[in-house]
């Protein structure tokens, strides 16, 4: 079982690298075309900008939260089959 788990993790790593490569390519094409959507006959890819703030807000006074919380943004891609 452990060997199969390790093999599966290795396969997943390879697939994640491929997915990252495809996302980078799509992102580049979207930037070149100035759009957040690319469509083909069978698929539609949409890009949406998302943000995330890190810190446990309930454990930090408001003034500290406002001063030190970190907000990061990233692109989310959605692929839909038509």
């Amino acid at each position: 079982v452990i060997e199969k788990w390790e093999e599966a993790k290795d396969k997943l790593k390879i697939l994640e690298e491929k997915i990252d490569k495809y996302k980078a390519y799509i992102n580049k094409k979207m930037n070149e075309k100035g759009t957040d959507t690319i469509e083909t006959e069978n698929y539609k890819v949409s890009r949406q900008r998302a943000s995330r703030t890190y810190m446990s807000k309930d454990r930090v006074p408001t003034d500290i939260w406002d001063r030190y919380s970190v907000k990061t943004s990233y692109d989310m891609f959605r692929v839909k089959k038509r």
Side-chain angles (χ1 to χ4, degrees):
V1 172
I2 296 171
E3 289 172 2
K4 288 182 181 181
W5 180 16
E6 189 62 27
E7 288 174 15
K9 285 180 11 183
D10 291 341
K11 289 178 185 178
L12 181 60
K13 183 179 177 186
I14 291 168
L15 290 174
E16 287 173 339
E17 289 171 357
K18 284 183 180 181
I19 289 169
D20 288 343
K21 187 173 154 183
Y22 297 141
K23 284 193 327 190
Y25 179 80
I26 293 293
N27 194 42
K28 179 181 173 187
K29 292 299 177 186
M30 286 179 171
N31 290 339
E32 288 174 0
K33 294 182 178 193
T35 185
D36 287 325
T37 304
I38 292 181
E39 297 182 47
T40 67
E41 187 176 314
N42 297 316
Y43 293 94
K44 177 180 178 180
V45 178
S46 302
R47 175 176 61 183
Q48 184 178 17
R49 194 77 176 154
S51 297
R52 186 173 186 176
T53 302
Y54 296 92
M55 265 170 95
S56 181
K57 192 172 186 174
D58 59 337
R59 296 181 181 179
V60 179
T62 304
D63 62 323
I64 302 294
W65 174 262
D66 292 340
R67 195 174 339 156
Y68 295 107
S69 64
V70 176
K71 189 173 193 176
T72 58
S73 298
Y74 53 93
D75 292 325
M76 292 181 0
F77 292 89
R78 292 196 173 106
V79 178
K80 290 184 180 179
K81 189 166 184 169
R82 295 181 164 257

